[in-house]
Amino acid sequence: MTTITVAKGDGIGPEIMDATLKIILAAGAAINIEEITVGEAVYLAGNAAGIAPEAWETIRRNKIFLKAPITTPQGGGYKSLNVTTRKFLGLYSNVRPCMSLHPFVSTKHPAMDLVIVRENEEDLYAGIEHQQTDEVVQCLKLISRPGCEKIVRYAFEYARQQVRKKVTCFTKDNIMKQTDGLFHRVFDEIAKEYPDIENEHWIIDIGAAKMADTPQAFDVLVMPNLYGDVLSDVAAQIAGSVGLAGSANIGEECAMFEAIHGSAPRRAGQNMANPSGLLQGAVMMLNHIGQTDVAEKVQNAWLKTIEDGIHTYDIFKEGTSKLKVGTSEFADAVITNLGKKPSELKPVTYAQNAALTLPRYQRKPQLAKELIGVDVFVHWSGSNPDELAGIVSKIEADGIKLKMITNRGIKVWPDGFKETFCTDHWRCRFQAESGVTMSKSFIVELLSKCINEKIDSIKTENLYTFDGTPGFSLGQGQ
Ligand code: NAD
C-alpha cells in the first residue's frame, strides 16, 4: 500500500480527478489517499504561493503526488504553483509521452509515438527578471552542467528502459553558444555512454517544424525547459488532443504526476472534460510505484474504451466515434473494460517498475578561472554610440580599455552602422590588454568612477576564461 498525496485542483480538476481515482481504485490500485487543497482558493485567500505549509509537509512526507490542473489567477503577483513545486522538490525531469490513437482519434499523424523529456527546473523558468532601464527588461536564462547532465542521462536511461531506439536533442546553440551550447555539449558527451541508442541533434526551429510535420521521425526528445513546454503541447495536440496526454515530473526523492493541460475553466462543472490526460499521469504513477499490473490493466482498458469509440467531446468525431460521453460516463466505460485488451491498438505490457535510479551528480574539479574583463551595462538616453564611448572611456584604467559597446547584443562601437536601432540600454565591454592581470578591485574602482562621472551603471558581468577558454560570447558583429 502506497500513500499518495492528491490535489483535486481547479476548473475541470475535481471532475477529472474523481474519474481517475475511481478507475484506478476499481482496477485494484493499492493506495491510501491524503488530499490537500492547493490553487485558486489558497491564492485568493491571500497566499501568493497557492499552497499552505501543511500541504508541503504532506507532499514531502508521501513523496508521490497526483495533481489535477490548477488555475493561477492573472496578475497580482501570484507565483505558478506548478513551477514552484517542480523546483522545490527537485523534479528535474518532465516526461510527456505523445502517441496517436489512429484510427480511433483523428490525427494527421497515424504513426506518431514519441516522448518529450523536458528539463524542468532551469532555463528562463528561473523567473529572475528585472527592469533595467526605461526601455529594457531582462530575464535570466540559467543552464547548469548538473541540470544538463541529469536530464540528458535521464533521457538515455529512459530510452534504454522503454526499449526505444533514438534520443534527439533540440537546442538553439547556433545563437546561444554558452547556455544551449552547454546543453548540446553535455548531450554529445553522455550520448557516447549509450552506444546502443542512436542520437542526433537538431536546431530547435527546424527540429520543431520537422516534429510538427513528420513526428514519426522522432522517438525520445530531450530539450531545455521552455522548448519542452511549448513542443510537448504541440506534440500532444497533433497526436489527437491536449486532453489525452499525461506527464510525470521526476526527482531524486519525490515525483508528481499530472495531465499536461490546464484547468480549462470554461468546461468546468459540466461533466464534459476528458479525464484521459490525468489518467495517463496516474498510469505513469502506478508504474513508478511498482504497481505495474494495475497500470497495465488500466491502460489496456483505456485503449479499449478509445477503440470502442466512447469519446468525450474533445476527440468525438462523427464517423469514427460511436458514443459521445461525459467525464463520469467515460470513467464508467473504462471500468467496464478493466481486464479487457484493445484488439487493433497495441495492448501494453509493463514488466518492470518504471522508477529509474540514476547516479547522483558528481561535482567536477574546479577549472582555472581568470578575470580578463568586465561588461558594464549603462542606462543612457543618448543616441550616438561615439558620444557614449567618449564618456565611458573616462573610466578606463592602465591596461584595461574599452573594447566594444553593444546595444541589444549588436556591436555599435567601434565601427557601428548608423542604421542599427538603439535603446537606452548599452553594454560597455572593458578588457585587460595582453600581459595585464586584472583584479576584482578594478571593477569596484570602475563603478566608483562611474558615480563620479555621472554614468548610470545598472549592472556588471565579469568576463572570465575557464582553463583558458573564454566563458562569454562575443558581441554580434565583433
Ligand atoms: P487549458 O489547457 O486549460 O485549456 C486549453 C484548451 O484545451 C481549452 O479549449 C480547453 O477546453 C481544452 N482542454 C484542456 N483540457 C481538456 C480536457 N481534459 N478535456 C477537454 N478539453 C480540454 O489552457 P488555458 O485555458 O490556457 O489555461 C487555463 C488555466 O489553467 C490557467 O489558469 C492556467 O494557468 C492553468 N494551467 C494549469 C496547468 C497545470 O496545473 N498543470 C497547466 C497549464 C495551464
Side-chain angles (χ1 to χ4, degrees):
M1 193 68 84
T2 304
T3 303
I4 64 165
T5 307
V6 164
K8 292 196 173 177
D10 301 313
I12 58 171
E15 298 157 68
I16 61 173
M17 182 60 86
D18 287 345
T20 297
L21 292 176
K22 194 173 170 192
I23 295 167
I24 65 173
L25 289 169
I31 51 170
N32 281 324
I33 292 167
E34 270 193 64
E35 198 180 325
I36 56 167
T37 302
V38 295
E40 203 169 19
V42 185
Y43 284 120
L44 297 178
N47 180 327
I51 180 167
E54 312 79 77
W56 275 128
E57 272 172 41
T58 310
I59 294 171
R60 292 170 78 186
R61 185 173 60 245
N62 296 331
K63 301 193 188 314
I64 303 293
F65 184 18
L66 182 64
K67 188 183 76 59
I70 57 163
T71 302
T72 311
Q74 292 293 305
Y78 300 109
K79 283 295 211 187
S80 160
L81 178 59
N82 297 311
V83 176
T84 313
T85 309
R86 290 168 189 159
K87 293 181 70 170
F88 259 146
L89 300 179
L91 310 179
Y92 64 92
S93 178
N94 190 334
V95 184
R96 300 182 160 197
C98 298
M99 167 187 77
S100 60
L101 299 162
H102 175 78
F104 305 101
V105 176
S106 172
T107 171
K108 296 191 182 95
H109 307 288
M112 173 174 181
D113 178 11
L114 57 80
V115 181
I116 293 186
V117 177
R118 160 189 172 193
E119 198 291 318
N120 219 11
E121 296 180 282
E122 308 198 327
D123 197 354
L124 293 158
Y125 289 64
I128 305 176
E129 294 191 294
H130 298 97
Q131 177 162 2
Q132 302 203 313
T133 65
D134 289 359
E135 293 175 349
V136 175
V137 287
Q138 77 160 19
C139 176
L140 279 188
K141 170 158 166 144
L142 294 174
I143 301 276
S144 74
R145 176 165 271 277
C148 295
E149 284 193 14
K150 279 159 66 176
I151 195 65
V152 170
R153 192 173 293 288
Y154 189 95
F156 278 99
E157 286 291 329
Y158 177 89
R160 194 176 262 173
Q161 183 200 53
Q162 301 290 320
V163 201
R164 286 181 174 263
K165 293 190 174 58
K166 183 169 74 173
V167 180
T168 305
C169 176
F170 280 1
T171 72
K172 187 81 181 168
D173 67 334
N174 54 334
I175 303 296
M176 284 161 279
K177 296 188 169 65
Q178 292 291 328
T179 48
D180 284 23
L182 176 62
F183 197 96
H184 185 175
R185 220 164 44 246
V186 169
F187 177 79
D188 287 345
E189 282 168 25
I190 290 182
K192 290 200 184 82
E193 297 176 32
Y194 297 85
D196 48 321
I197 298 165
E198 212 184 309
N199 72 82
E200 61 180 7
H201 172 269
W202 289 69
I203 298 292
I204 176 88
D205 40 11
I206 189 63
K210 175 85 175 167
M211 191 201 78
D213 182 64
T214 322
Q216 64 275 20
F218 297 106
D219 196 348
V220 175
L221 294 116
V222 65
M223 60 193 86
N225 203 342
L226 177 63
Y227 310 144
D229 190 0
V230 175
L231 287 192
S232 57
D233 271 31
V234 173
Q237 187 64 31
I238 65 172
S241 163
V242 286
L244 290 173
S247 99
N249 299 266
I250 308 288
E252 280 167 5
E253 297 204 11
C254 301
M256 174 172 81
F257 301 86
E258 57 185 345
I260 74 157
H261 59 74
S263 56
R266 281 191 304 127
R267 308 286 177 201
Q270 297 158 56
N271 190 37
M272 281 180 81
N274 189 345
S276 296
L278 188 58
L279 186 65
Q280 292 302 292
V283 167
M284 285 193 260
M285 176 189 79
L286 291 166
N287 275 321
H288 185 85
I289 60 176
Q291 298 190 25
T292 50
D293 50 341
V294 188
E296 190 175 303
K297 203 167 163 189
V298 171
Q299 186 69 355
N300 283 327
W302 176 72
L303 289 168
K304 171 97 175 76
T305 309
I306 298 282
E307 195 177 272
D308 287 345
I310 301 173
H311 293 167
T312 43
Y313 84 92
D314 56 316
I315 56 169
F316 185 87
K317 196 165 180 213
E318 289 297 346
T320 25
S321 305
K322 300 231 164 54
L323 186 64
K324 192 189 273 183
V325 291
T327 315
S328 62
E329 293 76 21
F330 182 82
D332 292 340
V334 177
I335 290 168
T336 309
N337 280 333
L338 287 170
K340 297 183 193 154
K341 288 187 176 172
S343 43
E344 278 192 58
L345 293 169
K346 195 163 171 271
V348 296
T349 39
Y350 297 135
Q352 64 203 352
N353 186 321
L356 289 167
T357 312
L358 268 60
R360 289 207 170 222
Y361 176 76
Q362 299 290 326
R363 185 158 287 161
K364 314 280 182 287
Q366 272 196 350
L367 305 176
K369 183 168 124 181
E370 191 190 348
L371 184 67
I372 62 155
V374 62
D375 281 344
V376 181
F377 289 77
V378 169
H379 183 176
W380 185 64
S381 307
S383 56
N384 181 353
D386 291 338
E387 191 187 332
L388 179 63
I391 299 169
V392 294
S393 56
K394 291 186 195 148
I395 62 175
E396 286 180 342
D398 276 353
I400 298 168
K401 300 285 178 225
L402 177 67
K403 281 277 176 308
M404 168 186 82
I405 300 177
T406 67
N407 196 294
R408 291 188 299 176
I410 181 89
K411 188 188 73 166
V412 293
W413 181 90
D415 309 322
F417 285 13
K418 71 174 173 31
E419 293 86 346
T420 305
F421 181 83
C422 291
T423 66
D424 59 359
H425 184 269
W426 307 81
R427 172 181 56 167
C428 306
R429 174 162 290 180
F430 292 84
Q431 264 179 282
E433 294 179 323
S434 76
V436 175
T437 308
M438 186 173 159
S439 73
K440 276 208 186 137
S441 60
F442 168 78
I443 299 172
V444 178
E445 279 168 37
L446 185 147
L447 290 178
S448 103
K449 283 193 208 164
C450 281
I451 296 170
N452 296 339
E453 297 293 338
K454 300 199 167 29
I455 296 168
D456 187 2
S457 62
I458 45 176
K459 72 159 189 169
T460 57
E461 293 285 353
N462 299 355
L463 306 180
Y464 290 111
T465 57
F466 290 84
D467 277 358
T469 305
F472 52 89
S473 52
L474 296 180
Q476 287 156 348
Q478 190 182 1

